[in-house]
Amino acid sequence: GAGVSQSPRYKVAKRGQDVALRCDPISGHVSLFWYQQALGQGPEFLTYFQNEAQLDKSGLPSDRFFAERPEGSVSTLKIQRTQQEDSAVYLCASSLASGASYNEQFFGPGTRLTVL
Amino acid sequence: GDSVTQMEGPVTLSEEAFLTINCTYTATGYPSLFWYVQYPGEGLQLLLKATKADDKGSNKGFEATYRKETTSFHLEKGSVQVSDSAVYFCASTPNSNYQLIWGTGTKLIIKP
């Protein structure tokens, strides 16, 4: 079956531009996560949705980062006024049930954002 | 705070060699522990997991045992193949928490 998909796969932005990254989770998955992965590092948690509710946004690095999941399926991560330090791979993951620690998270291929 | 430390790579082995990738964690509670693998050009996928002390996770010939006394979750495989070449990430979730905390990843290169 279809896995988690993300688009675009690659995005180049000029400093100061706004970008929007899309995530299509596995159908029926309740939980959705966004992570940021810098080059040579492990992913870092950004935010968590349970259905349409954003239950945790503690990892968002600044108020330039905004995420939404209005209908409880597709999610968009928006970054306003991009800076060079925003360059990273942005990963989306979904899991079937609510966010208990033992629920496997299924990852998309990521969007590589480069800010010039 | 909670953290995960894993050995730096790259680790280069010959086919059929024994593999160990070390992973240790710090946690205030009782985390679940995971190994994820990222094959070239693909997304992260769960390799194995353990949810409590002394549990052994296993998959595709890989094993890891949750050792509370040494706060470790080392990944092992008895005989590696070229197809095992990938980046391996150790991760934990703090007690009753969904946030995955990740190590920095270990690149494994297997030569025929």
Side-chain angles (χ1 to χ4, degrees), chain A residues 104, chain B residues 32-37 45-51 55-66 73-77 88-91:
Chain A
E104 179 178 354
Chain B
S32 296
L33 301 173
F34 304 82
W35 278 100
Y36 276 80
V37 59
Q45 52 186 279
L46 180 65
L47 180 61
L48 54 83
K49 67 180 182 185
T51 57
D55 268 2
K56 178 186 284 188
S58 61
N59 186 24
K60 299 182 181 180
F62 290 88
E63 293 182 341
T65 301
Y66 189 147
F73 193 56
H74 304 323
L75 183 68
E76 297 181 336
K77 185 174 186 183
Y88 292 81
F89 289 90
C90 185

Side-chain angles (χ1 to χ4, degrees), chain A:
Chain A
V4 178
S5 60
Q6 293 185 245
S7 61
R9 291 292 310 277
Y10 303 90
K11 176 69 179 176
V12 178
K14 292 183 179 178
R15 190 159 53 98
Q17 278 185 332
D18 297 349
V19 299
L21 312 180
R22 178 186 168 105
C23 172
D24 284 81
I26 294 172
S27 178
H29 276 199
V30 169
S31 296
L32 186 144
F33 307 81
W34 283 99
Y35 294 87
Q36 180 190 59
Q37 185 176 20
L39 188 64
Q41 301 296 315
E44 293 200 2
F45 170 83
L46 294 177
T47 187
Y48 161 58
F49 289 86
Q50 185 174 345
N51 296 307
E52 70 278 6
Q54 189 175 20
L55 298 187
D56 187 347
K57 53 183 181 179
S58 62
L60 296 177
S62 78
D63 59 7
R64 296 185 296 104
F65 286 71
F66 172 76
E68 60 183 5
R69 193 186 185 198
E71 297 178 0
S73 55
V74 171
S75 177
T76 304
L77 176 66
K78 297 179 180 177
I79 309 174
Q80 296 177 325
R81 305 181 303 282
T82 52
Q83 304 294 315
Q84 285 189 321
E85 62 262 29
D86 300 335
S87 296
V89 175
Y90 290 86
L91 298 170
C92 177
S94 69
S95 67
L96 180 60
S98 60
S101 63
Y102 49 82
N103 286 314
E104 179 178 354
Q105 295 183 24
F106 295 83
F107 283 81
T111 295
R112 182 177 297 277
L113 172 65
T114 302
V115 181
L116 303 177

